[in-house]
Amino acid sequence: MARRFALTFPGEPGGHAKQDVVVVEPTGATGPGGHPVYADASGIVRAEISDRGEVRMLATGGHQTPRTPMHAEPLPPSGD
């Protein structure tokens, strides 16, 4: 399992906005599906990622509706 992932999100619907890429690292927690939970440096973007690269976004606050990334790219550990 990768130690970090780059999650690629689509741009805003109805426009030609560029895609957003967020790097997430393991938190040590396990999500509702039993897979590791990853988060960005701010802790706002949280995702459960399976060993097959399936992503389940996890809300971090009330009334949040997280978008699902189009792609999850495994990255080498930071510092490599």
Side-chain angles (χ1 to χ4, degrees):
M1 178 53 84
R3 294 293 299 160
R4 302 182 314 142
F5 283 90
L7 302 179
T8 303
F9 295 89
E12 289 298 317
H16 296 286
K18 68 178 188 171
Q19 298 174 336
D20 292 322
V21 178
V22 178
V23 175
V24 293
E25 298 191 10
T27 64
T30 302
H35 303 288
V37 172
Y38 294 77
D40 72 336
S42 72
I44 294 171
V45 176
R46 290 176 54 92
E48 177 182 13
I49 304 176
S50 76
D51 55 352
R52 296 188 309 207
E54 299 163 324
V55 180
R56 177 192 313 210
M57 296 304 296
L58 304 172
T60 58
H63 305 291
Q64 184 182 27
T65 307
R67 292 184 297 160
T68 301
M70 297 180 345
H71 187 70
E73 178 72 27
L75 298 173
S78 58
D80 286 358

